[in-house]
Amino acid sequence: WFRVIGVLTKDSPYAFSSVLAVYLAGIAMGSFAVNVWLGRHQGINKRTLFFGLQFLIGLSVALTFISYFYLTTHTGIGSLTRASFFTDLHPDWPGRETLLHASSFKGWLLGLYRLVDVFFWSVVFVWIPTVLMGASFPLVSFLALDRRDEEGKTVGLVSCFAIAGNALGGVLTGLVVLPYLGTELSVLLFCSVGIAFGIVLFGDHGIRLPLVVRGTLVAVLLSGIVIAFPRKGDLYEAMHSPPGRGFDLYIEEGIDGVVVTYQRGIAVQLYINGSSHGHPPGYHQYYRAIEAMS
């Protein structure tokens, strides 16, 4: 999430804090909501609810990325991506003057958007799945509780495994999965794991379907998502804008981030994690060189 959002919000010091704020708020709200729900529905099957939440997490993330890609490339929503991408500071504090002295309502909206887009993209990508993740944690604690007098021990044990899983997941994702698979395939892999919980969900209490039917339904759903999901490099191609016509595009993703290069002959435009890092050579470089020599 941070890698994707970071391309749009550049190296803003508020980018990580915005993602984290939305993440923690979603976790808190999901945990609170499921606790209230369980209090009012004592007889609900917690195991079924847990599997359903894992299924919805995978599905919601997949649909979010698919929707973002196609809305950006085929509709006017792409103007929001371009407005963020071509803004260097996030939030755009110097641009607040544009907000205060806008000559049109459209200009006022653009100025307002540039002040809040660092938070907006975090909400778009992170909010729904983290609410579902937050709802999952109390359910795991309920399911792991064997004895009524060991609530504290159970919650502590679940928290321990959650922390260990987060640490290991971050290391494996950042150092192995993303550099070798890229963002699109990595997200698709994780979403597929969540959606695969549907095989168990549809065979659990209240929704009993034969294993073959369950497997077929999940396979069809996964096939549709795989077909619609952006291919490797497509997501960052949609986020970046070429400097002109006739440029060849090269995308390289590694441990540190994403490098996007546009090249047409000897003209090059380079972006690292969404930020422009030079465009040599061009007429202005030659002009400066000649001026320095004369």
Side-chain angles (χ1 to χ4, degrees), residues 138-147 150 153-155 157-158:
L139 288 172
V140 173
S141 300
F142 273 118
L143 295 173
L145 181 62
D146 292 329
R147 296 176 54 182
E150 294 186 348
K153 177 182 177 181
T154 301
V155 172
L157 188 62
V158 170

Side-chain angles (χ1 to χ4, degrees), residues 1-19:
W1 278 327
F2 181 66
R3 173 163 294 193
V4 171
I5 295 171
V7 171
L8 294 171
T9 59
K10 307 300 186 289
D11 50 0
S12 169
Y14 301 99
F16 178 75
S17 57
S18 298
V19 173

Side-chain angles (χ1 to χ4, degrees), residues 68-69 72-73 78 81-82 233-241 251:
Y68 170 78
F69 175 71
T72 297
T73 54
T81 292
R82 290 187 291 273
D234 286 353
L235 188 65
Y236 295 116
E237 182 179 0
M239 290 181 173
H240 292 71
S241 295
I251 300 176

Side-chain angles (χ1 to χ4, degrees), residues 83-161:
S84 293
F85 184 79
F86 287 117
T87 301
D88 291 326
L89 296 177
H90 300 267
D92 184 19
W93 294 117
R96 66 187 184 276
E97 297 298 328
T98 304
L99 179 64
L100 296 174
H101 305 288
S103 59
S104 65
F105 181 66
K106 183 178 180 180
W108 183 85
L109 285 178
L110 179 61
L112 178 63
Y113 171 74
R114 285 175 171 170
L115 283 175
V116 302
D117 68 333
V118 68
F119 188 75
F120 169 79
W121 290 116
S122 299
V123 173
V124 168
F125 284 100
V126 179
W127 176 251
I128 293 178
T130 50
V131 169
L132 297 173
M133 290 177 183
S136 301
F137 182 77
L139 288 172
V140 173
S141 300
F142 273 118
L143 295 173
L145 181 62
D146 292 329
R147 296 176 54 182
R148 289 297 176 185
D149 59 342
E150 294 186 348
E151 288 88 350
K153 177 182 177 181
T154 301
V155 172
L157 188 62
V158 170
S159 298
C160 178
F161 277 103

Side-chain angles (χ1 to χ4, degrees), residues 163-176:
I163 293 170
N166 281 327
L168 182 61
V171 171
L172 290 178
T173 302
L175 300 181
V176 179

